[in-house]
Amino acid sequence: MVIGSGPIVIGQAAEFDYAGAQACRALREEGVSVVLVNSNPATIMTDVEMADRVYIEPLTPAFLTKIIAREKPDGLLPTLGGQTGLNLATELATRGILDDYNVKLLGTPLRAITRAEDRQRFRKLMRQIGEPVPESWIVEKDGELVELSRQSGLPWPLIVRPAYTLGGSGGGVAHTPEELIEIGQRGMRLSPRHQVMVERCLVGWKEIEYEVMRDANDTCITICNMENLDPMGVHTGDSIVVAPSQTLSDKEYQMLRSASLKIIRSLGIEGGCNVQLALDPKSFGYYVIEVNPRVSRSSALASKATGYPIARVASQIAIGLHLDEIPNRVTGKTLACFEPALDYCVVKIPRWPFDKFTSADRRITTQMKATGEVMALDRSFESALMKAVRSLEVGANSLRYKGASQWSDMEIESLLTTPTDERLFAIAEAFRRGLMIEEVAGLSGYDPWFLHKIRGIVQMEKRLRDHAADLNRDEAAGLLTEAKGLGFTDRTIAELTGRTERDIRALRTSLGITATYKIVDTCAAEFEATTPYYYSCYDREDER
């Protein structure tokens, strides 16, 4: 029996349909009969051909109990339905329903789920295995919250993290005792366990994620590591993310990778999980933030970014297969125990609905507001970033955002300091106005490496304007090649040079500047891929 994720909500959307559909196919290929339960009929997983039996019913313990009594499944797979599936499986196990009907919880055991989701138990485990966690307090009553707010010497600001919730729901950053009480009480109301963790806020630290996979033989691999452009203080679902990480040294990468493998082993998770860590940009210090003991939104991103079918492999592990027994369907030669290798760059940008909800607060914090996201692949960070910006469909074909030129210098400074959906465009506008990288880094918290890349895009805009008059001469070949390599479209180049899009396309084609296509194959072209998909770029070699 597979539990779906239910209605599409912020923080839990189509990525779980993607995971559930993968799981159903993988299980049926292994000869397993699948009973699927989901309340949302507008999904691929609820197609009648996807599972042997499909129930479109409310996702509540009462309805699930009736379905279990009727279908009598041997096992329950809850880790592919997001937080909804995880919470329901926990409740069914706690009530004794799974024991009553002799249903085995497949994949990650209940003990691992509660260890990861219960803030107090997770913090205790991390200390037992020697992994650092921020100074924190567990609160389960209003009186305890008020008492905490009155303590002297608290490391303000404080972050509030409710237990067993999705997308940072009910959480937030408190700067005063009054805000702590308000956010904490709301978080406890939204938490199924009426529990929140109040911890030191690591605003300004780098946020790093590792997608990790483990089987029952204790074989562990990292599928993908991801770096948030926005520093700590912004929910990862609301942050621009790049994979693989671009600014970590090898020592930092290996240190955090080792910590992630150590954490998944200590929790006893069987399948995939997402580990979130905070890294001090001024030292090698780091803290473990949290672990999602399930397929998550980041898992879908990592799966599409690497070509590694995380949900498929996790469901095969759940029914007893091991990583060294599961073939990689992309290469057809390697096994699932091979860690994916990327020879390209992936950029994810969230998509917010502020164009529809114009009066909404555009500030983004620890509670997720994005209703979707876009992902782009290319050979460089700049070109992947430019592709992602175009995919947002916000009227911007590059980092030239409509209305940005009208922002005052004070507005620019405010947009750099306060995270909003427009901060990326404000950074580009700041460089157009002559701000130094050190100034922008100090205001935004972005790593200087990313700012150098964004400034390079802005500098290319100026070079194209400056060379508008002589773009027809042979010297144009080098400039156009460089601009296309940075992700500039023909339309953007035309706007900057005062030409038509057709003219620019004809010119670059005559100069031999055309798109090539590269394969996403999980192994950086080390093995030939049998079921590849492609991304376009402006490189010399075509892998089609």
Side-chain angles (χ1 to χ4, degrees):
M1 180 168 161
V2 175
I3 302 177
S5 59
I8 291 177
V9 296
I10 291 177
Q12 185 167 283
E15 60 268 15
F16 292 104
D17 185 30
Y18 170 80
Q22 264 193 28
C24 289
R25 285 174 174 162
L27 292 170
R28 297 185 78 186
E29 285 172 11
E30 296 295 334
V32 176
S33 297
V34 178
V35 177
L36 175 70
V37 187
N38 197 4
S39 61
N40 185 357
T43 60
I44 295 172
M45 71 165 73
T46 48
D47 188 286
V48 292
E49 296 181 358
M50 196 60 65
D52 296 277
R53 300 293 293 272
V54 177
Y55 287 86
I56 302 176
E57 300 287 354
L59 292 178
T60 64
F63 273 94
L64 290 179
T65 301
K66 290 180 181 178
I67 295 168
I68 289 172
R70 179 177 179 177
E71 295 291 341
K72 295 181 175 56
D74 297 305
L76 174 66
L77 185 57
T79 52
L80 299 165
Q83 195 66 43
T84 299
L86 217 56
N87 290 351
L88 284 167
T90 302
E91 194 164 351
L92 290 171
T94 303
R95 292 184 181 185
I97 293 167
L98 299 185
D99 289 337
D100 291 345
Y101 291 94
N102 197 27
V103 179
K104 182 181 178 182
L105 199 61
L106 300 177
T108 300
L110 180 64
R111 183 184 178 193
I113 294 172
T114 54
R115 272 183 163 185
E117 292 287 331
D118 187 289
R119 301 293 185 183
Q120 190 165 7
R121 295 183 67 179
F122 179 72
R123 183 179 62 172
K124 182 180 179 182
L125 177 63
M126 291 302 101
R127 288 174 175 161
Q128 286 176 351
I129 65 173
E131 289 298 328
V133 290
E135 184 181 4
S136 57
W137 300 264
I138 302 298
V139 178
E140 297 180 336
K141 298 178 181 177
D142 289 356
E144 295 174 359
L145 188 64
V146 173
E147 185 178 336
L148 175 63
S149 70
R150 293 173 179 169
Q151 284 187 21
S152 60
L154 290 175
W156 300 98
L158 296 168
I159 188 168
V160 178
R161 298 182 183 277
Y164 288 89
T165 60
L166 175 73
S169 180
V173 178
H175 296 83
T176 65
E178 293 74 22
E179 288 183 352
L180 177 59
I181 292 172
E182 178 188 351
I183 298 171
Q185 289 178 341
R186 182 179 69 230
M188 283 190 285
R189 287 196 304 271
L190 293 174
S191 169
R193 294 295 177 87
H194 204 261
Q195 181 193 83
V196 297
M197 182 170 69
V198 180
E199 69 180 13
R200 173 190 169 193
C201 188
L202 302 170
V203 170
W205 287 39
K206 291 183 182 182
E207 185 165 4
I208 310 295
E209 298 177 77
Y210 279 77
E211 201 65 36
V212 194
M213 186 76 72
R214 177 181 177 271
D215 64 19
N217 274 351
D218 201 31
T219 302
C220 289
I221 63 168
T222 54
I223 308 298
C224 183
N225 91 302
M226 297 165 277
E227 178 176 4
N228 290 223
L229 269 67
D230 294 282
M232 291 290 294
V234 174
H235 190 282
T236 185
D238 274 351
S239 182
I240 300 173
V241 174
V242 59
S245 58
Q246 302 293 306
T247 71
L248 299 188
S249 65
D250 184 60
K251 180 177 179 181
E252 290 169 328
Y253 172 83
Q254 297 297 341
M255 174 180 70
L256 299 180
R257 177 184 179 276
S258 297
S260 300
L261 296 178
K262 186 177 179 182
I263 289 166
I264 190 174
R265 283 190 165 116
S266 66
L267 286 168
I269 291 170
E270 294 179 19
C273 84
N274 174 257
V275 182
Q276 297 174 18
L277 307 110
L279 176 68
D280 185 355
K282 299 177 182 178
S283 72
F284 289 103
Y286 71 93
Y287 285 114
V288 179
I289 302 303
E290 67 177 0
V291 171
N292 289 313
R294 55 178 170 81
V295 172
S296 67
R297 181 186 56 260
S298 295
S299 304
L301 172 64
S303 187
K304 293 172 184 176
T306 62
Y308 188 101
I310 292 174
R312 167 181 286 275
V313 173
S315 60
Q316 290 173 305
I317 288 173
I319 58 173
L321 294 175
H322 302 135
L323 286 169
D324 58 356
E325 299 172 332
I326 302 171
N328 182 329
R329 291 172 62 88
V330 174
T331 63
K333 297 177 182 178
T334 60
L335 298 171
C337 56
F338 277 54
E339 291 194 352
L342 277 63
D343 56 355
Y344 49 86
C345 186
V346 183
V347 172
K348 177 216 90 175
I349 303 182
R351 179 63 163 90
W352 295 273
F354 298 134
D355 53 338
K356 296 181 176 66
F357 301 98
T358 54
S359 61
D361 183 359
R362 300 182 86 113
R363 291 176 298 175
I364 51 179
T365 59
T366 59
Q367 185 168 342
M368 189 174 166
K369 292 182 179 179
T371 51
E373 58 192 32
V374 301
M375 185 191 81
L377 288 73
D378 213 302
R379 303 299 283 181
S380 68
F381 169 76
E382 297 96 323
S383 49
L385 179 69
M386 294 278 270
K387 272 186 183 178
V389 167
R390 294 196 298 275
S391 302
L392 288 171
E393 298 183 348
V394 294
N397 287 311
S398 65
L399 298 183
R400 298 162 65 241
Y401 189 58
K402 60 181 179 180
S405 60
Q406 306 300 317
W407 289 334
S408 67
D409 290 346
M410 288 188 66
E411 286 177 309
I412 293 285
E413 184 174 336
S414 176
L415 286 167
L416 293 177
T417 306
T418 305
T420 69
D421 61 308
E422 297 175 322
R423 180 151 73 170
L424 174 64
F425 302 105
I427 289 172
E429 185 62 26
F431 288 134
R432 292 188 191 102
R433 300 189 187 188
L435 268 70
M436 304 297 288
I437 284 177
E438 294 75 16
E439 295 176 275
V440 178
L443 291 169
S444 66
Y446 273 40
D447 188 281
W449 188 91
F450 294 117
L451 299 179
H452 274 284
K453 297 296 184 180
I454 295 171
R455 188 176 67 172
I457 294 172
V458 173
Q459 289 172 339
M460 176 54 74
E461 293 175 1
K462 184 177 185 302
R463 289 174 61 192
L464 287 167
R465 285 196 188 96
D466 293 344
H467 288 79
D470 59 355
L471 199 59
N472 288 325
R473 295 206 301 266
D474 291 339
E475 291 82 355
L479 185 62
L480 282 177
T481 300
E482 194 174 342
K484 297 301 290 185
L486 289 175
F488 281 76
T489 63
D490 294 343
R491 178 179 174 183
T492 301
I493 296 171
E495 290 171 352
L496 291 167
T497 57
R499 310 298 176 90
T500 67
E501 185 176 352
R502 181 176 294 180
D503 288 342
I504 296 299
R505 184 174 293 113
L507 175 59
R508 71 164 174 82
T509 303
S510 68
L511 294 170
I513 306 169
T514 56
T516 57
Y517 293 85
K518 302 288 186 178
I519 297 174
V520 176
D521 57 12
T522 78
C523 58
E526 188 177 349
F527 296 92
E528 184 179 352
T530 57
T531 58
Y533 55 98
Y534 298 84
Y535 64 92
S536 66
C537 62
Y538 283 82
D539 201 7
R540 294 180 181 178
E541 183 184 7
D542 197 322
E543 296 180 354
R544 285 181 293 178

